[in-house]
Amino acid sequence: MTSTDSAQKAPAKDPWDLPDVSGLVVGVLGGTGPQGKGLAYRLALAGQKVIIGSRAAERAAAAADELGHGVEGADNAETARRSDIVIVAVPWDGHGRTLESLRAELAGKLVVDCVNPLGFDKKGAYALKPEEGSAAEQAAALLPESRVTAAFHHLSAVLLQDPGIAEIDTDVMVLGEERADVEIVQALAGRIPGMRGIFAGRLRNAHQVESLVANLISVNRRYKAHAGLRLTDV
């Protein structure tokens, strides 16, 4: 028996052993929109330092004052510069332009894309497929010096913004290329009571995660609900 054979293998890493992210500053691009504003509110309520960004600093400042809990408002560029983690919650039709304009400010940052490319017609919502494959992959292509992940796609903006709801009963599917980055985002999701962040693959699998929102919209319309997701046996 060789020394290699006899050496004990290191124990597998506990997938729920996640980092402490409580001291990180979170910026939300599109923070004056429903989803961005809701995420900013929940993270700030959990004790995270949050800056919301908008194309107009005045609009961001007004939204921040409305949210309270120490939330600050700034234009998108300042928000990106001052944040450790930047959540992208802008409308799909402005996604590419916004990220391209912030390439320098987002260099070296952990970027969390939560944009869902959707179209709407008389039959309801349907998924769009960007040339790059998904919104997250478009972000990665436009931001080569950033660490791009994808998460927070399936959250109800109505529930996020409702101060009468103490817990958000849902799982958050997190995708990314580097385990350390994914775990930071998982930990961030776990700061919100009721929420879990769960690794769901690499960015090449982001399209179907983004697309699932079209199905949830159909569920919500039929059942007058604010449906989320739970992953069983995890």
Side-chain angles (χ1 to χ4, degrees):
M1 180 180 293
T2 67
S3 59
T4 302
D5 293 331
S6 60
Q8 289 187 344
K9 290 183 178 180
K13 186 180 186 303
D14 179 355
W16 295 110
D17 180 15
L18 300 174
D20 178 8
V21 297
S22 59
L24 299 180
V25 178
V26 178
V28 185
L29 304 182
T32 59
Q35 187 177 21
K37 197 172 181 181
L39 273 171
Y41 171 67
R42 289 292 163 175
L43 289 169
L45 197 63
Q48 209 76 35
K49 175 58 186 174
V50 178
I51 306 170
I52 58 175
S54 175
R55 286 178 296 177
E58 298 81 4
R59 186 179 177 195
D65 288 343
E66 182 183 337
L67 290 175
H69 300 285
V71 176
E72 293 184 44
D75 64 32
N76 283 331
E78 182 181 346
T79 297
R81 281 193 298 267
R82 292 178 56 196
S83 302
D84 302 302
I85 305 173
V86 179
I87 297 174
V88 181
V90 300
W92 166 242
D93 59 5
H95 182 263
R97 292 191 305 275
T98 299
L99 295 185
E100 193 168 21
S101 71
L102 297 171
R103 183 176 294 166
E105 290 84 359
L106 291 171
K109 306 289 185 176
L110 177 53
V111 174
V112 187
D113 201 296
C114 67
V115 175
N116 303 302
L118 297 176
F120 295 86
D121 60 19
K122 63 183 180 181
K123 294 182 179 180
Y126 60 94
L128 303 175
K129 189 159 189 179
E131 182 180 347
E132 298 84 355
S134 64
E137 288 170 295
Q138 183 183 87
L142 292 171
L143 304 172
E145 296 181 48
S146 302
R147 296 139 52 208
V148 176
T149 61
F152 301 118
H153 300 91
H154 307 132
L155 306 181
S156 163
V158 173
L159 298 184
L160 288 173
Q161 295 184 81
D162 188 343
I165 294 175
E167 297 189 0
I168 305 296
D169 181 24
T170 193
D171 289 329
V172 172
M173 299 173 75
V174 184
L175 303 97
E177 300 302 316
E178 298 296 334
R179 180 165 185 163
D181 293 337
V182 168
E183 289 182 346
I184 289 171
V185 181
Q186 287 181 260
L188 187 66
R191 296 270 288 158
I192 299 174
M195 199 177 286
R196 294 189 306 174
I198 296 180
F199 171 65
R202 294 179 179 268
L203 289 186
R204 68 180 184 180
N205 291 319
H207 171 65
Q208 57 265 35
V209 174
E210 296 169 0
S211 299
L212 189 57
V213 173
N215 302 88
L216 290 178
I217 290 172
S218 297
V219 170
N220 290 339
R221 287 181 173 174
R222 174 63 60 90
Y223 297 101
K224 310 301 181 191
H226 302 291
L229 295 180
R230 277 295 187 201
L231 301 176
T232 61
D233 198 32
V234 178

